[in-house]
Amino acid sequence: MNVRRLIPSTALAGAVALGIVALSACAGTSDAADGGNEGKLDVVASFYPMQYLAEQIGGGHVAVNTLTKPGVEPHDLELKPKQIGELGEADVILYLKGIQPAVDEAIAQAGVKNTVDAATLTTLEAHGTAVGGHEGESAEEHAAHAGEEHAEEEAGHDHGSEAGADPHIWLDPVKYAEVAKGVGSALEKADPAHAADYKKNTDTLVKKLGDLNTDFANGLKNTGTKTFITTHSAFGYLAERYGLDQEGISGIDPESEPSPARIKELQDKAKKEKVTTVFFETLASDKTARTLASDTGLKTDVLDPLEGITDASKGDDYIEVMRSNLTALQKALGAK
């Protein structure tokens, strides 16, 4: 995580106070401005994966405001006083601690009763630069292997709710479903009058995620290789879920620069593991990925970490983009 983007606590506290005072003076005007949102549950989502859950589960009973607008890299988000003030006016806040330090600190200052940290709704794990199942290893052996092999590259990264924890839980449909259930319960508690609808919508979404998980499991069961290379290690949970080996160029932090030794390691691994493709993403630079692919004679393709939906996304929502990711992985891994 780029610590240079952290907002000093004193400055943030002042911004929170100003924002909350400004909005408190005209409470309810945000509903009028949005047109037709009066009477709905005001939900603030930190970035797209939380927005999607709020919209799918909340349906017509919620008005969702997302702090991270389309095209903005979530890790780089810097909050404006107005956004911080909106946090204090929210009925429910949905966020994922560890992805956006500026958001984490603003939420801590906002003091909203119904604040939901998605990281507490499932189990987080530590994923190194290389994650996923190494053939013949037990889970314990793999964890030891990953920790030893990449301890140096992970040093200094605090990108999860706990030191070393990987926050990219939404890229595993099973873990995302666990989060969805927790979000559903939170909305039921915040708005008991519509609890039945939230429960129904949660069940519908969990069913969709279950079907998605089945498609991934079946689609990636028989492949020519289990190894794929990505711009940064966002796909640790996905790789672990489906028995794959993710090799990240830049580790979990998308802004870190790979060492020459890491590039050489990836080149060697690509040849040994019969890797065909280097994946890049829509919201981060693809320069290093394309250079590595060119130097190693590999193809390039998009594997979307779904941190935001833009016109460049291969789908209009989470399910569609995840299915595009599955198709890309099947092609790259030589699925049979």
Side-chain angles (χ1 to χ4, degrees):
M1 183 60 64
N2 189 344
V3 296
R4 293 173 299 174
R5 300 188 184 277
L6 287 170
I7 300 176
S9 299
T10 53
L12 182 58
V16 170
L18 288 173
I20 291 177
V21 168
L23 284 180
S24 296
C26 52
T29 58
S30 59
D31 283 345
D34 290 340
N37 285 342
E38 187 173 356
K40 294 185 178 183
L41 199 68
D42 290 324
V43 180
V44 173
S46 57
F47 72 133
Y48 178 72
M50 300 298 101
Q51 172 193 342
Y52 180 75
L53 293 181
E55 291 173 344
Q56 292 294 307
I57 298 172
H61 300 307
V62 301
V64 183
N65 177 40
T66 309
L67 295 176
T68 309
K69 304 307 178 186
V72 176
E73 217 290 331
H75 307 84
D76 296 345
L77 181 67
E78 295 181 1
L79 295 178
K80 298 177 181 179
K82 179 181 177 181
Q83 290 177 298
I84 296 172
E86 288 172 350
L87 284 176
E89 290 293 301
D91 294 316
V92 179
I93 295 176
L94 302 179
Y95 78 118
L96 177 55
K97 187 176 181 181
I99 285 285
Q100 301 166 288
V103 171
D104 294 349
E105 193 159 359
I107 288 173
Q109 299 278 354
V112 174
K113 178 181 177 182
N114 297 305
T115 296
V116 183
D117 174 9
T120 66
L121 302 177
T122 186
T123 303
L124 269 65
E125 302 169 9
H127 292 136
T129 302
V131 291
H134 289 261
E135 188 174 354
E137 286 187 335
S138 67
E140 293 78 9
E141 289 171 336
H142 167 66
H145 172 87
E148 293 170 3
E149 185 175 358
H150 302 290
E152 181 176 347
E153 291 191 22
E154 285 299 289
H157 291 259
D158 183 9
H159 196 64
S161 63
E162 299 176 3
D166 178 359
H168 298 88
I169 48 179
W170 67 91
L171 292 168
D172 174 356
V174 175
K175 285 190 173 294
Y176 199 40
E178 293 175 355
V179 174
K181 293 176 183 178
V183 170
S185 296
L187 293 182
E188 291 175 37
K189 181 180 178 181
D191 183 17
H194 300 111
D197 288 340
Y198 296 139
K199 179 66 167 63
K200 180 181 178 181
N201 292 343
T202 300
D203 291 344
T204 298
L205 178 56
V206 168
K207 173 63 166 58
K208 290 181 181 179
L209 294 173
D211 292 342
L212 182 65
N213 172 56
T214 299
D215 290 343
F216 264 84
N218 292 335
L220 299 172
K221 186 180 299 181
N222 299 307
T223 58
T225 180
K226 295 294 184 183
T227 304
F228 63 98
I229 297 175
T230 63
T231 301
H232 86 283
S233 299
F235 298 89
Y237 292 105
L238 184 149
E240 183 176 12
R241 177 68 59 190
Y242 305 113
L244 305 179
D245 179 5
Q246 171 191 238
E247 294 288 344
I249 296 174
S250 301
I252 289 181
D253 185 347
E255 295 187 4
S256 65
E257 291 293 332
S259 66
R262 177 59 181 161
I263 294 296
K264 178 63 167 58
E265 180 184 8
L266 288 172
Q267 292 172 338
D268 293 342
K269 181 152 290 199
K271 295 177 182 178
K272 180 181 179 182
E273 303 293 337
K274 298 180 181 179
V275 175
T276 66
T277 306
V278 178
F279 288 109
F280 60 92
E281 56 197 63
T282 55
L283 296 181
S285 172
D286 61 359
K287 181 179 179 181
T288 304
R290 291 190 180 279
T291 299
L292 175 63
S294 177
D295 292 345
T296 318
L298 302 177
K299 301 173 184 178
T300 58
D301 201 353
V302 172
L303 196 62
D304 197 328
L306 269 160
E307 294 176 343
I309 296 289
T310 68
D311 292 340
S313 299
K314 294 184 177 181
D316 293 331
D317 63 15
Y318 173 87
I319 297 291
E320 290 185 5
V321 176
M322 281 294 284
R323 293 196 180 281
S324 295
N325 282 344
L326 173 57
T327 299
L329 282 169
Q330 288 177 306
K331 180 180 178 181
L333 300 175
K336 301 170 184 177

